[in-house]
Amino acid sequence: MNRSVTDDISAISRINAVPAILQVISETTGLRFAAVARVTEDSWTACAVLDRINFGLQVGGELDVTTTLCHEIRASHQTIIINKASEDLRYCSHHTPKLYGFESYISAPVFRTDGSFFGTVCALDPLPAKLSEGSVLAMMESFAKLLAIQLEAEEHFEATEAALLDVQQTAELREQFIALLGHDLRNPLSSILSGAQLMMRRSKDASITGIAEHMLTATRRASRLVDDVLDFARGRLGNGIPLQSDECHQLHITLTHIVSEMQSAHPQRAIEADIAPLGGVRCDADRLAQLLSNLLANALVHGSATGRVHVRAVIEKGHLLLSVNNQGEPIPADRLAQLFKPFWQEASNTQSGLGLGLYIANEIAMSHGGSMRVTSTAEAGTTFTFSMPTGAAIA
């Protein structure tokens, strides 16, 4: 991950343990200046500071890295401890203690969990101190490891926040896309539909009315595809298919109309209906009509061309049951679980369409607090059954 120094300062500032770590270091060692520094090949930057000697360095402050001992730690990866610089054989003539006026100093390297060098946790004081005890070294190196762990956790949190923001922005773009799709496609389709209907009413020319009838069929099919895509997109946004629920006392009439419409569109097929009075069901009647239409269309396409299709709707034990049965080759068991997935179709199916009908039927079922199930045998045929509590809370 490529991070700027500013990013690292921000990450350190959000780690609540850092001020406490610096205070413990200062009180344990007696060193009155402590800091967490981001150290690179060409920069030294303070990410956190505890200053009780007016050293003059604040968060974001920079030092010439070549004048610091942290520059050497970056190269050696070793902790440096100095009790009294003026008497230390290695550091008595070193430029850093003289430049910054300290006698005692300790600094431990901080490595990210991937092994890369981050910087140091360090402390200093103009007065000498006894820092050579093993407990001080162990404390500094433990704090350095703790900082690395906390830093990684903070960076993961930042990445997660960014990802969630991206998901939210993507969802908003999808919603805008849905609105634009509905507006930009529905309006011209409505115009084409109206124009074709007008042509059929006014023209006596059989060739013209034939073209108009073809336009009507194609436009209605395109409108259904647009509706399917919109419903699919809404379902994928995670909010489910929207409902306008109410007490539906004439639901059986609505469902009967759907059966009649499908029978008119497929006069060569036998569709039987056994729809009982369904008063008092709380639902979105238009959506349940859409569910039945999708199930009937699926049965007519995939069922036996000579077999009957049977629709049954009844209220039993506080549940609305709506089923569509067709005759034909049974669906293999390993494919039953795939039927309600979007864009799924039988490989042998040559019918046009997006393969969204059953997916949308299932989404409508779930939005009603209900469910879809399917059974398929050679003897009984294939049956899709929608079930929901008659007074279910609508999602």
Side-chain angles (χ1 to χ4, degrees), residues 63-239:
L63 300 176
D64 181 348
V65 69
T66 61
T67 67
T68 69
L69 293 179
C70 295
H71 182 60
E72 298 179 11
I73 294 173
R74 183 176 183 275
S76 68
H77 291 184
Q78 298 296 317
T79 299
I80 293 178
I81 297 177
I82 306 173
N83 292 317
K84 188 175 182 180
S86 59
E87 297 180 0
D88 191 287
L89 294 178
R90 181 175 180 181
Y91 294 102
C92 62
S93 58
H94 198 285
H95 63 278
T96 298
K98 293 179 179 180
L99 178 63
Y100 295 109
F102 64 77
E103 282 281 3
S104 52
Y105 176 89
I106 187 168
S107 182
V110 177
F111 299 96
R112 298 182 187 273
T113 54
D114 63 2
S116 61
F117 182 79
F118 172 82
T120 63
V121 54
C122 54
L124 58 83
D125 197 281
L127 301 176
K130 294 181 179 180
L131 306 174
S132 298
E133 292 84 353
S135 59
V136 173
L137 175 62
M139 177 190 69
M140 293 296 291
E141 293 182 345
S142 295
F143 280 149
K145 291 177 182 177
L146 176 61
L147 279 174
I149 294 170
Q150 291 290 314
L151 186 63
E152 181 182 41
E154 183 59 39
E155 290 172 358
H156 278 312
F157 178 74
E158 289 178 10
T160 301
E161 271 193 321
L164 289 174
L165 178 61
D166 183 62
V167 168
Q168 181 181 6
Q169 292 172 340
T170 300
E172 291 173 355
L173 289 175
R174 285 177 178 172
E175 290 175 349
Q176 292 172 12
F177 166 75
I178 290 172
L180 289 173
L181 183 66
H183 179 272
D184 292 348
L185 291 182
R186 286 179 187 276
N187 287 350
L189 286 173
S190 296
S191 298
I192 296 171
L193 187 65
S194 298
Q197 290 171 334
L198 184 63
M199 288 172 62
M200 291 191 68
R201 287 197 302 269
R202 294 188 175 181
S203 178
K204 302 299 183 181
D205 188 329
S207 62
I208 297 295
T209 56
I211 293 173
E213 186 174 354
H214 178 72
M215 289 173 61
L216 280 173
T217 301
T219 304
R220 285 168 178 158
R221 179 175 177 277
S223 296
R224 287 195 300 271
L225 290 176
V226 170
D227 289 340
D228 283 351
V229 170
L230 291 174
D231 285 339
F232 168 73
R234 292 188 186 103
R236 282 309 215 202
L237 283 173
N239 298 322

Side-chain angles (χ1 to χ4, degrees), residues 19-31:
I21 288 173
L22 296 184
Q23 185 172 353
V24 170
I25 290 173
S26 178
E27 292 178 357
T28 302
T29 63
L31 307 184

